[in-house]
Amino acid sequence: MVILITGGAGYIGSHAVVEFLLAGHDVVVLDNLCNSSQISIERIKKITGIMPKFLVGDIRDHQLLDQIFSRYAIDAVVHFAGLKAVGESVKDPLNYFENNVNGSITLLQAMKKANVFNLVFSSSATVYGEPKNMPISEECPTGVPTNPYGRSKLMVEQILKDTAASDPRWSVALLRYFNPIGAHSSGFIGEDPNGPPNNLLPYISQVAIGKLQELSVYGDDYPTKDGTGIRDYIHVVDLAKGHVAALKYITSRSDIHVWNLGTGVGYSVLEMIKAFEHNSGIKIPYRIVQRRLGDIAECWSNPSKALNDLNWKAELGLSEMIKDTWNWQSNNPNGYQD
Ligand code: NAD
Ligand code: WQD
């Protein structure tokens, strides 16, 4: 198949491009590089031996999308492009809704015009809000995400549900990611945050490399095993493979389908620090500070629907997640700027 991958130069997108290429698909990447580097595309070639077609451009550009759909015989779209920084979304919600919601609408309009109806969308466990019971399965009702970023994901999910209901030609996968971490085992591609990282693993790895002094642990008074927040961390390569499996499933069926992509196992912040120290041999200085506004105590998935439907499950464990994060960080201390 010929697949348009929006946001394919970014963290998860670049790993997905690798897996789609390795699965034998042709890939066209569209990315405006607002949070990524074109070097990731060259690195994809180093890993796969294949150079994906790469276009610098914006998903909100109607004309460009029309040109892309008329120039390439696109069969499906895998849609990663979007802004994802929670704190930034609180400061500038309009920019988040404009990019994530309007951008998705523009993309859907262009797809419909071009008669392309297969879509895999990057959603997030954040759409569950603050669920009462763990683990979270897909039947769990969506909640109220605690920030504009999360609400933009839920809005796009709702738009996609209405769109799929309006026309049986649509085949849509909503993939709700838990906490993606890790990097490709080659060390050629990985997460390269702009400025100080917001997420736990990138922060820990920048402490380990000496760019940041110490980790702030946001609260140790949650009702969890050691008082710190619990999350379901998933290796980005497993996550990327989930997209290949989801696309295969939807191309032979119409309608909209939802899958959690997680491991089903939760680790606390203190367990993550210990695991990082164990797998890298580096001590991580940390300090317990106040809870971070909007954080929930715990969040982990029931991933069995993806196993039943897609025959997909996460294969890589915590030590691989950490070793690969550290391999990427230590080989590329300044990310793609090295
Ligand atoms: P990322 O920022 O590394 O990748 C997103 C890519 O989209 C970037 O390369 C960016 O340049 C591009 N982009 C943004 N707006 C664009 C636009 N208007 N037009 C074209 N390109 C645009 O982020 P990521 O971690 O790889 O996340 C990918 C997707 O997965 C996002 O939609 C994100 O919301 C979602 N997601 C991420 C996580 C996570 O923890 N990383 C969790 C759940 C869901
Ligand atoms: C994990 C745990 C923190 C940083 C966010 C988004 C979510 C999704 C994934 C896109 C929590 C603790 C963190 C630090 C810490 N993104 N922590 N010190 O909050 O589960 O999810 O990223 O969809 O929408 O909200 O991930 O990595 O930020 O935090 O103690 O410096 O680590 O409190 O318990 P989170 P995270």
Side-chain angles (χ1 to χ4, degrees):
M1 274 197 284
V2 182
I3 304 169
L4 174 64
I5 302 193
T6 73
Y11 171 47
I12 304 170
S14 57
H15 290 82
V17 172
V18 166
E19 296 306 322
F20 279 109
L21 289 173
L22 294 177
H25 297 291
D26 277 345
V27 171
V28 179
V29 174
L30 172 66
D31 198 303
N32 68 3
L33 299 178
C34 70
N35 195 38
S36 53
S37 159
Q38 189 162 346
I39 296 167
S40 66
I41 305 293
E42 289 156 27
R43 301 281 183 88
I44 288 169
K45 179 169 183 237
K46 264 180 109 168
I47 295 170
T48 61
I50 307 164
M51 188 71 181
K53 289 169 199 78
F54 179 62
L55 308 166
V56 180
D58 199 293
I59 54 163
R60 291 164 294 179
D61 183 340
H62 288 267
Q63 273 188 340
L64 174 67
L65 290 179
D66 289 347
Q67 280 166 17
I68 294 172
F69 283 108
S70 65
R71 179 156 172 214
Y72 302 99
I74 309 282
D75 298 296
V77 178
V78 183
H79 177 31
F80 294 99
L83 302 175
K84 63 160 182 181
V86 169
E88 204 178 76
S89 79
V90 175
K91 291 196 190 104
D92 194 358
L94 292 179
N95 193 31
Y96 269 65
F97 292 125
E98 156 64 20
N99 202 337
N100 294 1
V101 182
N102 277 359
S104 298
I105 293 173
T106 306
L107 178 66
L108 290 169
Q109 285 169 332
M111 287 177 68
K112 188 172 176 186
K113 208 162 147 189
N115 281 313
V116 177
F117 292 101
N118 296 313
L119 176 75
V120 177
F121 175 62
S122 295
S123 190
S124 167
T126 191
V127 300
Y128 292 112
E130 196 161 2
K132 290 197 180 64
N133 299 309
M134 291 298 139
I136 306 172
S137 66
E138 293 82 352
E139 287 109 56
C140 200
T142 52
V144 182
T146 54
N147 55 75
Y149 162 73
R151 290 190 277 277
S152 77
K153 287 282 156 191
L154 187 55
M155 283 177 199
V156 176
E157 282 205 3
Q158 284 162 342
I159 290 166
L160 286 169
K161 282 179 186 161
D162 287 338
T163 304
S166 73
D167 184 335
R169 288 176 296 174
W170 284 99
S171 297
V172 179
L174 302 180
L175 301 184
R176 294 178 180 158
Y177 311 157
F178 281 68
N179 288 60
I181 60 169
H184 194 267
S185 59
S186 62
F188 292 151
I189 55 174
E191 187 164 12
D192 181 16
N194 234 339
N198 302 306
N199 297 117
L200 181 63
L201 248 282
Y203 205 102
I204 292 181
S205 22
Q206 291 202 11
V207 170
I209 201 87
K211 282 178 131 184
L212 296 167
Q213 287 215 314
E214 68 174 8
L215 171 75
S216 297
V217 174
Y218 297 138
D220 67 350
D221 55 353
Y222 285 105
T224 59
K225 49 189 159 186
D226 60 19
T228 64
I230 293 184
R231 296 292 184 272
D232 181 342
Y233 297 93
I234 173 169
H235 197 296
V236 66
V237 171
D238 277 331
L239 187 71
K241 289 179 176 167
H243 292 70
V244 179
L247 182 62
K248 188 173 171 209
Y249 183 97
I250 62 160
T251 46
S252 58
R253 292 162 187 87
S254 63
D255 212 346
I256 186 158
H257 308 269
V258 186
W259 290 287
N260 284 340
L261 296 185
T263 63
V265 182
Y267 292 103
S268 74
V269 177
L270 295 182
E271 285 174 329
M272 294 302 284
I273 296 171
K274 277 205 194 86
F276 194 96
E277 291 181 337
H278 178 73
N279 284 286
S280 67
I282 294 173
K283 187 108 198 92
I284 303 297
Y286 70 87
R287 195 157 44 96
I288 308 289
V289 301
Q290 291 282 305
R291 290 180 179 192
R292 182 172 65 179
L293 208 68
D295 270 354
I296 57 176
E298 51 185 10
C299 173
W300 74 91
S301 68
N302 173 348
S304 58
K305 183 168 184 272
L307 179 61
N308 292 337
D309 295 349
L310 309 177
N311 197 24
W312 171 92
K313 71 174 168 47
E315 304 282 350
L316 301 167
L318 186 58
S319 64
E320 279 112 340
M321 298 184 214
I322 298 216
K323 279 182 189 151
D324 290 338
T325 301
W326 182 232
N327 184 39
W328 155 255
Q329 179 72 71
S330 50
N331 281 307
N332 307 270
N334 299 309
Y336 290 114
Q337 278 165 31
D338 285 316

